[in-house]
Amino acid sequence: MSIKEIPIILVCKQKEKTYNVQVNIESSIEDLIIELHPLLQPGNQQQIVLHFGNMILNSKKQFKDYNIVKGSIIDIIIYTHGGIFLN
Amino acid sequence: MNNKKHIKIQEITSTRVKTSQPSQNRYIETQNYNIPSQPMKENKTIKFLDSSGQQGQPELNFKTMMQEKLSKYRENIKKFEITYDIKRYDYKQNQIEQDNHQFPQLVTLSLNNFLQQCDGLIQQNYDEILESNKLIMKLSFDKIEIYDKNGNLKETKKSFPFSSKNQPKDLKYNAIFGQKDYLLLKSTGLWVTSNIVDSYANYLRLVDEDEYFSLTVENRKKYKRTYIFCSDYITNCSINTEFNKEKCLTLFYEQLSNFESIQYQFWQIYQNIIFVVNLNFHWFCVKLDLENFVMEIYDSLYSNTTKYERLQFLFQTIFSEVMFKKPKFKIKIVMEFPKQSDSYSCGYFSCIALNYLNRKQFNLDQYVEEEQRQTFISKAEMKQKLRDLLIEDLNS
C-alpha cells in the first residue's frame, strides 16, 4: 500500500451497511460514488452523496482536498426526492 | 490516463468469510445481502477491502459500530439534575440597535454574500453556558468554544461546518446543486429533492444564528432559537421498515455532538425544534414543543394522526432517553397550513413551513406572532425564493 493509499470506512446508516475501502487520495469522490452505485442500487429518485464530519463532499474534488486520513469514517447519504404517489 | 486494473468483488453471506489468504482486492460488505450484483469491478484507486485483511483493525459491523458509539455517547450523560445557566453578553452594547428587528431580507443573497455581510457585524455578541457557575461553553456566530473543568479553552468548533467562504458554485448550504436542480426549480410538475429542502433548512439555520447574535441581551432572552434536523436524520432512521432503537439514538447523539458538554440538552439553547421529514416519498415538517410535548405537523397532505404514529414513537424513544422522562407526545395537525392541490409540490410546502416557523421567531411580540400565524407565503413565492437563493450563480 503506497502512502497515497489509505483505508477508510464507509457507513450507510439508512441501509445499515458498512464497507472497508482503500482509496488513493488522488482519486475523486465521484470515483467512489460510481463504485457504490451497484452496491446500494439507489432508485431513480435517489442520489448517493458522501458526508465527512457533517460536511458534504464535492464529487468533483479529490480525497486529498479534505482532511480525510487513515481510518476516517465517511457517511453515505442517499438523498431522496419527494412528491406523492398517485394511486 | 488508464490506470485501472481488475478487482474481484465477491458477494458473501451475512457471516464473515474467512479466507486463508485475504486479498486486498476484495471487499466484504459486513451486513446481510443475498443477491450478487456486479461480479467484476475495475478500479485501481478505489478498492473495497476484506476487513480481515487489515491487521489490528476491529471487525467491521454496523450493529457493533452503533453499539460502541452509543455507549460512548451515553458516557456523557451522567447527571440529569445538573442545571445550565445561560449568560448573554453584548460586545459593544452602545452600538447595537435592534429594537425594531425584522426578518432579514437575505433570501436573495448567496452564501458568500451572506457570510461577507455577517463578517464583523454580529460575531462579537456571545452567550456563555455555565454549569454550577463554571464556564463550559461559549457560543457566538458560527462558533462554539468548549471549556474544560478548569475553565481552559479545550476546543473550538464551527456551528456550521459548511459555511466557509469560497464554496464552489455547485455546493449550496451543504447540498450539491447542479443543472438538474436548476431545471427542477425552473420547471413544474417535478418532485423536489432533498438537496433543495435541506439546503433551505441549513440556510434558515444560518439566518436564525445571524439574527439571534444581532440582538441585544434583552431580546436574546425572549428569542426562541431554531434548530432544524435536516431530512437525513429521519431518512437514516428508516422507521418505515423497522425500528432500530440503538441506531435512532446513536444518530440523534451524532447530530448533537456539539452539545456533548451539556449532556446533549440542546433544548436549553434551542426552543424552536423542527424536523424535516421525507416519509414514503412525501415531504412534511414537524415542530416539537418540548415543554408541552406536542408534535405540530405541517403537512400539505394531512390525513389522520395514524400517519404520524411511527414518528411519535421515534420522538418518545429518543426524548425519553435524553430527557430522563417518559414523554407522551400529542400529535397536533396544523389545520390552517395550506394544502397542495397537485402531486409534486410537498417539498415546496415543507419549505413554506420552515420559512413560517423560522420567521415567527423574529416577532418577539406575542400580538404580532398571532397575526403572523395566518401568513404562510405562497408556493410561487417560495419557489422564487429558492431560485434566488440556490441558483442565482448558475444564472450569472
Side-chain angles (χ1 to χ4, degrees), chain A residues 80-85, chain B residues 191 234-235 239-241 277-284 307 310 346:
Chain A
T80 44
H81 294 212
I84 53 159
F85 285 123
Chain B
W191 286 12
I234 300 288
T235 304
I239 52 172
N240 255 2
T241 47
V277 183
N278 184 307
L279 223 51
N280 296 328
F281 297 97
H282 174 61
W283 291 107
F284 60 94
K307 183 176 167 184
R310 281 172 183 265
C346 57

Side-chain angles (χ1 to χ4, degrees), chain B residues 27-59:
Chain B
Y27 84 91
I28 288 189
E29 184 188 299
T30 56
Q31 303 300 308
N32 300 334
Y33 51 85
N34 302 312
I35 309 161
S37 55
Q38 302 284 317
M40 298 291 285
K41 272 277 158 190
E42 292 184 2
N43 195 321
K44 186 185 176 184
T45 56
I46 312 283
K47 296 176 186 174
F48 288 81
L49 303 172
D50 176 350
S51 59
S52 65
Q54 294 181 324
Q55 287 187 348
Q57 293 276 331
E59 184 172 333

Side-chain angles (χ1 to χ4, degrees), chain A residues 1 5 7-28 31-36 38-39 41 44-47 49 51 53-61 63 66 70-71 73 75-86, chain B residues 11 24 27-32 37-38 41-51 54 57 60-62 65-66 161-162 167-168 170-171 174-176 180 191-195 198 232 235-236 238 242 244 247 251 254 278 280-283 301 340 342-344 346-347:
Chain A
M1 191 186 294
E5 292 176 332
I8 58 169
I9 298 167
L10 300 178
V11 182
C12 181
K13 291 157 182 168
Q14 189 183 342
K15 299 203 172 192
E16 303 193 3
K17 289 177 178 177
T18 51
Y19 305 95
N20 260 348
V21 182
Q22 182 183 302
V23 295
N24 186 309
I25 54 169
E26 290 179 348
S27 54
S28 74
D31 284 345
L32 180 55
I33 291 174
I34 290 168
E35 292 295 310
L36 287 168
L39 304 176
Q41 300 179 340
N44 291 337
Q45 298 288 353
Q46 294 176 322
Q47 177 194 357
V49 294
H51 276 214
N54 291 328
M55 267 283 286
I56 198 163
L57 300 182
N58 187 351
S59 57
K60 304 287 178 226
K61 290 205 167 188
F63 285 92
Y66 297 96
K70 180 183 173 185
I73 296 177
D75 287 317
I76 304 167
I77 309 282
I78 301 177
Y79 272 22
T80 44
H81 294 212
I84 53 159
F85 285 123
L86 288 178
Chain B
E11 296 287 342
Q24 291 210 337
Y27 84 91
I28 288 189
E29 184 188 299
T30 56
Q31 303 300 308
N32 300 334
S37 55
Q38 302 284 317
K41 272 277 158 190
E42 292 184 2
N43 195 321
K44 186 185 176 184
T45 56
I46 312 283
K47 296 176 186 174
F48 288 81
L49 303 172
D50 176 350
S51 59
Q54 294 181 324
Q57 293 276 331
L60 203 59
N61 177 287
F62 185 84
M65 184 184 272
M66 286 293 118
F162 55 86
Q167 289 273 323
D170 54 351
L171 272 189
N174 218 22
I176 295 177
K180 195 178 165 186
W191 286 12
V192 176
T193 62
S194 48
N195 287 340
D198 285 346
D232 59 300
T235 304
N236 284 338
S238 43
E242 58 174 327
N244 180 340
K247 181 172 87 164
L251 299 185
E254 221 168 55
N278 184 307
N280 296 328
F281 297 97
H282 174 61
W283 291 107
L301 270 182
Q340 68 184 91
D342 53 44
S343 62
Y344 69 92
C346 57

Side-chain angles (χ1 to χ4, degrees), chain B residues 193-250:
Chain B
T193 62
S194 48
N195 287 340
I196 293 172
V197 183
D198 285 346
S199 58
Y200 188 63
N202 279 329
Y203 162 75
L204 288 180
R205 287 181 61 198
L206 264 170
V207 169
D208 185 79
E209 179 107 339
D210 167 27
E211 178 66 17
Y212 177 78
F213 284 109
S214 304
L215 296 174
T216 59
V217 167
E218 281 312 305
N219 281 330
R220 292 218 297 281
K221 281 180 188 169
K222 291 186 245 169
Y223 191 95
K224 289 181 179 176
R225 295 186 66 187
T226 299
Y227 193 95
I228 305 174
F229 287 81
C230 289
S231 68
D232 59 300
Y233 176 66
I234 300 288
T235 304
N236 284 338
C237 284
S238 43
I239 52 172
N240 255 2
T241 47
E242 58 174 327
F243 190 79
N244 180 340
K245 183 182 171 182
E246 283 179 337
K247 181 172 87 164
C248 296
L249 277 166
T250 307

Side-chain angles (χ1 to χ4, degrees), chain B residues 36-126:
Chain B
S37 55
Q38 302 284 317
M40 298 291 285
K41 272 277 158 190
E42 292 184 2
N43 195 321
K44 186 185 176 184
T45 56
I46 312 283
K47 296 176 186 174
F48 288 81
L49 303 172
D50 176 350
S51 59
S52 65
Q54 294 181 324
Q55 287 187 348
Q57 293 276 331
E59 184 172 333
L60 203 59
N61 177 287
F62 185 84
K63 198 177 170 188
T64 314
M65 184 184 272
M66 286 293 118
Q67 282 170 345
E68 283 173 1
K69 278 186 165 190
L70 184 56
S71 48
K72 262 191 172 179
Y73 287 128
R74 280 175 168 161
E75 280 173 17
N76 295 314
I77 305 176
K78 284 175 182 160
K79 294 175 185 169
F80 189 76
E81 65 275 12
I82 294 174
T83 53
Y84 299 101
D85 299 314
I86 302 181
K87 277 194 175 178
R88 297 170 177 85
Y89 297 90
D90 290 340
Y91 182 69
K92 289 179 181 175
Q93 205 157 4
N94 58 349
Q95 290 189 1
I96 295 167
E97 293 174 12
Q98 287 291 334
D99 290 334
N100 188 22
H101 42 269
Q102 296 288 324
F103 182 68
Q105 300 299 310
L106 292 171
V107 282
T108 56
L109 290 181
S110 70
L111 179 58
N112 284 349
N113 290 341
F114 181 92
L115 292 166
Q116 278 162 14
Q117 173 155 334
C118 293
D119 254 7
L121 288 176
I122 39 87
Q123 62 186 3
Q124 311 291 2
N125 291 343
Y126 62 95

